PDB file of all heavy atoms in Angstrom:
ATOM      1  N   ALA A 224      70.104  54.523  62.665  1.00 48.00           N
ATOM      2  CA  ALA A 224      69.811  55.951  63.023  1.00 48.00           C
ATOM      3  C   ALA A 224      71.040  56.668  63.515  1.00 48.00           C
ATOM      4  O   ALA A 224      71.018  57.884  63.769  1.00 48.00           O
ATOM      5  CB  ALA A 224      68.718  55.996  64.068  1.00 48.00           C
ATOM      6  N   THR A 225      72.135  55.983  63.779  1.00 49.00           N
ATOM      7  CA  THR A 225      73.329  56.646  64.372  1.00 49.00           C
ATOM      8  C   THR A 225      73.957  57.554  63.286  1.00 49.00           C
ATOM      9  O   THR A 225      74.038  57.216  62.145  1.00 49.00           O
ATOM     10  CB  THR A 225      74.377  55.567  64.797  1.00 49.00           C
ATOM     11  OG1 THR A 225      74.724  54.753  63.706  1.00 49.00           O
ATOM     12  CG2 THR A 225      73.787  54.740  65.926  1.00 49.00           C
ATOM     13  N   ARG A 226      74.480  58.650  63.771  1.00 53.00           N
ATOM     14  CA  ARG A 226      75.126  59.625  62.895  1.00 53.00           C
ATOM     15  C   ARG A 226      76.481  59.999  63.514  1.00 53.00           C
ATOM     16  O   ARG A 226      76.505  60.656  64.546  1.00 53.00           O
ATOM     17  CB  ARG A 226      74.308  60.846  62.692  1.00 53.00           C
ATOM     18  CG  ARG A 226      73.046  60.578  61.931  1.00 53.00           C
ATOM     19  CD  ARG A 226      72.355  61.932  61.531  1.00 53.00           C
ATOM     20  NE  ARG A 226      71.929  62.620  62.780  1.00 53.00           N
ATOM     21  CZ  ARG A 226      70.754  62.468  63.367  1.00 53.00           C
ATOM     22  NH1 ARG A 226      69.891  61.571  62.868  1.00 53.00           N
ATOM     23  NH2 ARG A 226      70.466  63.110  64.431  1.00 53.00           N
ATOM     24  N   GLY A 227      77.544  59.589  62.943  1.00 54.00           N
ATOM     25  CA  GLY A 227      78.880  59.963  63.459  1.00 54.00           C
ATOM     26  C   GLY A 227      79.294  59.122  64.652  1.00 54.00           C
ATOM     27  O   GLY A 227      78.492  58.393  65.225  1.00 54.00           O
ATOM     28  N   PRO A 228      80.562  59.214  64.991  1.00 61.00           N
ATOM     29  CA  PRO A 228      81.087  58.381  66.082  1.00 61.00           C
ATOM     30  C   PRO A 228      80.695  58.798  67.466  1.00 61.00           C
ATOM     31  O   PRO A 228      80.909  58.046  68.400  1.00 61.00           O
ATOM     32  CB  PRO A 228      82.601  58.464  65.866  1.00 61.00           C
ATOM     33  CG  PRO A 228      82.836  59.824  65.267  1.00 61.00           C
ATOM     34  CD  PRO A 228      81.587  60.060  64.387  1.00 61.00           C
ATOM     35  N   GLY A 229      80.220  60.021  67.677  1.00 61.00           N
ATOM     36  CA  GLY A 229      79.954  60.529  69.016  1.00 61.00           C
ATOM     37  C   GLY A 229      81.238  60.908  69.749  1.00 61.00           C
ATOM     38  O   GLY A 229      82.304  60.799  69.219  1.00 61.00           O
ATOM     39  N   GLU A 230      81.100  61.336  71.005  1.00 65.00           N
ATOM     40  CA  GLU A 230      82.256  61.811  71.758  1.00 65.00           C
ATOM     41  C   GLU A 230      82.672  60.702  72.764  1.00 65.00           C
ATOM     42  O   GLU A 230      81.844  59.962  73.234  1.00 65.00           O
ATOM     43  CB  GLU A 230      81.991  63.121  72.492  1.00 65.00           C
ATOM     44  CG  GLU A 230      80.851  63.036  73.484  1.00 65.00           C
ATOM     45  CD  GLU A 230      80.563  64.417  74.135  1.00 65.00           C
ATOM     46  OE1 GLU A 230      81.312  65.359  73.881  1.00 65.00           O
ATOM     47  OE2 GLU A 230      79.630  64.463  74.936  1.00 65.00           O
ATOM     48  N   THR A 231      83.988  60.671  73.029  1.00 73.00           N
ATOM     49  CA  THR A 231      84.437  59.681  73.973  1.00 73.00           C
ATOM     50  C   THR A 231      84.091  60.103  75.378  1.00 73.00           C
ATOM     51  O   THR A 231      83.736  61.241  75.627  1.00 73.00           O
ATOM     52  CB  THR A 231      86.002  59.535  73.846  1.00 73.00           C
ATOM     53  OG1 THR A 231      86.541  60.767  74.163  1.00 73.00           O
ATOM     54  CG2 THR A 231      86.390  59.107  72.465  1.00 73.00           C
ATOM     55  N   LYS A 232      84.265  59.169  76.332  1.00 75.00           N
ATOM     56  CA  LYS A 232      83.908  59.491  77.730  1.00 75.00           C
ATOM     57  C   LYS A 232      84.854  60.552  78.267  1.00 75.00           C
ATOM     58  O   LYS A 232      84.451  61.410  79.047  1.00 75.00           O
ATOM     59  CB  LYS A 232      84.048  58.201  78.583  1.00 75.00           C
ATOM     60  CG  LYS A 232      83.627  58.384  80.038  1.00 75.00           C
ATOM     61  CD  LYS A 232      83.626  57.098  80.784  1.00 75.00           C
ATOM     62  CE  LYS A 232      83.077  57.322  82.214  1.00 75.00           C
ATOM     63  NZ  LYS A 232      83.911  58.284  82.964  1.00 75.00           N
ATOM     64  N   ILE A 233      86.147  60.516  77.845  1.00 77.00           N
ATOM     65  CA  ILE A 233      87.078  61.532  78.374  1.00 77.00           C
ATOM     66  C   ILE A 233      86.688  62.917  77.851  1.00 77.00           C
ATOM     67  O   ILE A 233      86.831  63.937  78.553  1.00 77.00           O
ATOM     68  CB  ILE A 233      88.502  61.160  78.019  1.00 77.00           C
ATOM     69  CG1 ILE A 233      89.473  61.975  78.867  1.00 77.00           C
ATOM     70  CG2 ILE A 233      88.816  61.356  76.528  1.00 77.00           C
ATOM     71  CD1 ILE A 233      90.926  61.440  78.766  1.00 77.00           C
ATOM     72  N   GLU A 234      86.128  62.966  76.643  1.00 79.00           N
ATOM     73  CA  GLU A 234      85.697  64.277  76.119  1.00 79.00           C
ATOM     74  C   GLU A 234      84.461  64.723  76.919  1.00 79.00           C
ATOM     75  O   GLU A 234      84.337  65.930  77.172  1.00 79.00           O
ATOM     76  CB  GLU A 234      85.362  64.135  74.664  1.00 79.00           C
ATOM     77  CG  GLU A 234      86.606  63.951  73.768  1.00 79.00           C
ATOM     78  CD  GLU A 234      86.212  63.589  72.355  1.00 79.00           C
ATOM     79  OE1 GLU A 234      85.050  63.186  72.084  1.00 79.00           O
ATOM     80  OE2 GLU A 234      87.091  63.745  71.464  1.00 79.00           O
TER      81      GLU A 234
END
Side-chain angles (χ1 to χ4, degrees):
T225 58
R226 292 189 298 271
E230 60 183 356
T231 61
K232 185 176 183 300
I233 196 169
E234 290 170 342

